[in-house]
Amino acid sequence: MGEYESYVVIHNIAKRHNVGTLARSATAFGVSEVILVGRRDFNAFGGHGSTSYLRFRHFHSLFDARNFLKERDCDICGIEITDGAMAVNQHPFQKSTSFLLGNEGTGLSPKECEICDFFVYIPQYGFGTASLNVTVAAFIVLHHFGVWAGFSERIREGNKFIVAERPAKQGKRNYCTETEECIAGERKSRRENASNGFFDGSGNEDSCSNLLDALFTE
């Protein structure tokens, strides 16, 4: 893709159809990986097959996801209308960046804000709505990052972009699989960092919010 990479972190999105649509945008705008925080399974409704072209990675906690991204020298950018946020059309990026989107109703939580290095917002010029749908916000921000990073435009044919050959199916559909070594490492990290406040201290690795239950399929 080039010198820079982009990532999308999915943690607290409430509406299940938004995940597949986010995956479609991630594919269109050259995202390297989609990071799931919480449960491993996901709903691909609205993705139109785009999830087959994406790499998914799973973490139990925001803390572990942050560590992974920092090991790759990646900034974490919160997409939120907040004090200190910079307009996305100013392209305030400096290196590879991971984008964390807020919940549709409540925005980014305090714990999500804690792991962010900076924030961007999308300027609006009309007066009929307070904010954009989370998937629309993702479209705009990922496109701006691709322009800034100098991603190469995909080849077109007629009135469509050419879609690559679908990769061979690997693992369970709509489920993020990992090696035993990776899972063991995450469990160790959870035990060592149980006091940092980034995940449920109950010791239940499958615990998640009601919002995540609404997001992911059984």
Side-chain angles (χ1 to χ4, degrees), residues 10 42 54 105 110 127-128 177 208:
I10 294 178
F42 57 93
L54 285 170
F127 49 80
T177 58
C208 59

Side-chain angles (χ1 to χ4, degrees), residues 33-100:
E33 290 190 18
V34 173
I35 296 174
L36 303 176
V37 180
R39 291 171 60 168
R40 300 177 191 276
D41 52 331
F42 57 93
N43 191 312
F45 178 80
H48 294 270
S50 59
T51 55
S52 299
Y53 298 89
L54 285 170
R55 295 201 305 269
F56 287 84
R57 189 180 297 269
H58 171 265
F59 294 99
H60 288 288
S61 72
L62 288 169
F63 180 82
D64 290 331
R66 180 189 64 176
N67 284 349
F68 166 79
L69 293 165
K70 289 306 174 183
E71 287 173 358
R72 282 152 181 75
D73 192 29
C74 183
D75 275 342
I76 302 174
C77 174
I79 303 175
E80 184 66 282
I81 303 171
T82 187
D83 292 341
M86 295 171 279
V88 70
N89 54 310
Q90 295 178 359
H91 294 177
F93 313 113
Q94 298 182 10
K95 54 185 173 181
S96 294
T97 303
S98 176
F99 295 97
L100 179 59

Side-chain angles (χ1 to χ4, degrees), residues 80-183:
E80 184 66 282
I81 303 171
T82 187
D83 292 341
M86 295 171 279
V88 70
N89 54 310
Q90 295 178 359
H91 294 177
F93 313 113
Q94 298 182 10
K95 54 185 173 181
S96 294
T97 303
S98 176
F99 295 97
L100 179 59
L101 297 115
N103 172 265
E104 295 91 334
T106 59
L108 291 174
S109 70
K111 288 183 179 179
E112 289 171 328
C113 289
E114 283 181 31
I115 73 167
C116 293
D117 297 299
F118 67 102
F119 300 87
V120 296
Y121 74 96
I122 300 164
Q124 293 184 189
Y125 309 105
F127 49 80
T129 185
S131 63
L132 297 173
N133 173 276
V134 65
T135 58
V136 175
F139 301 163
I140 296 171
V141 172
L142 291 174
H143 178 267
H144 273 287
F145 182 83
V147 171
W148 172 84
F151 289 170
S152 298
E153 183 178 323
R154 183 69 179 168
I155 299 172
R156 291 171 289 170
E157 185 175 90
N159 61 351
K160 299 282 187 179
F161 288 94
I162 296 176
V163 177
E165 183 177 348
R166 187 184 294 267
K169 182 179 178 181
Q170 296 182 357
K172 184 178 177 181
R173 182 182 180 186
N174 298 346
Y175 189 86
C176 184
T177 58
E178 296 170 314
T179 64
E180 292 183 4
E181 181 181 1
C182 182
I183 295 171

